[in-house]
């Protein structure tokens, strides 16, 4: 039976970079592309980081019973949905997978596929460093959205509280102050 290695962490913890590097280094782990209704960011590609869909398409999949998990965020730019779809991407009888998401999405995917199928990879960074990274990333955007960046930063404190991490059974943490060292520790863990 395959496993789902689930990368998660607060915004700007480096989870996207870690996810990409793990995917590059371990091509046997299949990627699961999540869906979102948020606008595409510069440098993103549809079907790679996310499937970018409109709300009509989301509602069609919801009505068809294909949504595994769904999170909605009331951002300063409107409501954005992030979700995982039972669209044939995951077949645990044949493969292992690499996914990325939040603690809430991890719990929903774990409940859907069973705890024995999921391996949590929680990445963390000191908040000051995360904030510096977030500001730097926003500055690179054609239209920086600093208010939304601040909303995400503050929401992460609640979303990844110690109580919620404990309740989800997250015991192993990977500190990402040195990317290569962090990747080495994760690769040792998943072997």
């Amino acid at each position: 039976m395959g496993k789902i290695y689930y990368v998660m962490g607060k915004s700007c913890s480096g989870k996207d970079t870690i996810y990409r590097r793990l995917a590059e280094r371990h091509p046997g782990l299949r990627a699961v592309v999540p869906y979102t209704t948020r606008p595409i960011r510069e440098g993103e590609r549809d079907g790679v980081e996310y499937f970018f869909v409109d709300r009509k398409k989301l509602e069609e999949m919801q009505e068809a019973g294909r949504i595994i998990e769904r999170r909605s965020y009331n951002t300063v730019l409107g409501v954005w949905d992030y979700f995982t779809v039972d669209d044939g991407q995951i077949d645990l009888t044949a493969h292992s997978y690499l996914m990325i998401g939040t603690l809430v999405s991890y719990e929903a995917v774990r409940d859907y596929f069973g705890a024995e199928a999921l391996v949590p990879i929680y990445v963390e960074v000191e908040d000051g460093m995360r904030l510096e990274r977030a500001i730097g990333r926003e500055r690179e955007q054609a239209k920086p959205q600093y208010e939304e960046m601040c909303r995400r930063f503050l929401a992460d404190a609640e979303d990844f509280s110690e109580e919620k991490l404990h309740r989800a059974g997250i015991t192993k943490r990977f500190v990402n102050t040195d990317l290569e060292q962090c990747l080495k520790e994760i690769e040792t863990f998943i072997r």
Side-chain angles (χ1 to χ4, degrees):
M1 175 129 172
K3 297 282 186 192
I4 298 172
Y5 297 96
Y6 207 95
V7 179
M8 65 190 127
K10 295 176 181 177
S11 60
C12 292
S13 62
K15 66 184 175 295
D16 294 300
T17 300
I18 288 169
Y19 173 85
R20 283 192 301 273
R21 295 279 178 88
L22 289 172
E24 290 166 5
R25 293 179 182 190
H26 301 275
L29 294 177
R30 296 200 170 187
V32 176
V33 180
Y35 289 70
T36 187
T37 59
R38 79 155 166 76
I40 192 168
R41 292 181 184 146
E42 286 184 44
E44 290 180 325
R45 295 160 294 164
D46 186 40
V48 178
E49 290 84 8
Y50 293 96
F51 289 112
F52 294 90
V53 299
D54 59 21
R55 294 193 68 75
K56 181 180 180 208
K57 181 69 174 173
L58 165 59
E59 296 307 325
E60 288 171 4
M61 289 186 278
Q62 184 81 45
E63 288 173 18
R66 297 177 55 208
I67 305 296
I68 294 172
E69 61 84 24
R70 176 182 177 181
R71 293 151 284 124
S72 298
Y73 300 97
N74 189 13
T75 76
V76 298
L77 300 172
V79 176
W80 293 348
D81 295 285
Y82 294 83
F83 50 104
T84 305
V85 177
D86 188 349
D87 59 359
Q89 289 186 73
I90 301 172
D91 177 2
L92 291 171
T93 64
H95 305 285
S96 286
Y97 297 87
L98 188 60
M99 290 182 75
I100 187 169
T102 66
L103 185 60
V104 170
S105 66
Y106 162 78
E107 290 177 301
V109 171
R110 180 198 61 204
D111 293 348
Y112 189 86
F113 289 103
E116 67 283 351
L118 265 77
V119 178
I121 300 170
Y122 179 63
V123 178
E124 66 182 6
V125 172
E126 184 269 328
D127 282 344
M129 182 179 286
R130 281 193 323 106
L131 189 54
E132 288 174 7
R133 290 176 179 180
I135 292 168
R137 182 173 75 181
E138 274 315 302
R139 282 188 179 135
E140 294 174 3
Q141 299 299 311
K143 239 183 138 180
Q145 301 293 330
Y146 294 110
E147 288 180 41
E148 175 55 22
M149 177 204 74
C150 290
R151 185 207 62 79
R152 282 194 318 266
F153 187 85
L154 294 172
D156 280 343
E158 173 64 23
D159 294 345
F160 289 94
S161 70
E162 289 300 318
E163 179 184 318
K164 289 180 180 177
L165 289 168
H166 178 73
R167 189 177 64 227
I170 305 300
T171 56
K172 180 72 175 152
R173 297 166 187 238
F174 299 93
V175 178
N176 185 22
T177 52
D178 177 321
L179 178 61
E180 285 307 314
Q181 181 62 33
C182 185
L183 281 164
K184 185 177 179 181
E185 290 174 15
I186 292 169
E187 288 173 321
T188 299
F189 176 71
I190 66 176
R191 285 195 179 106

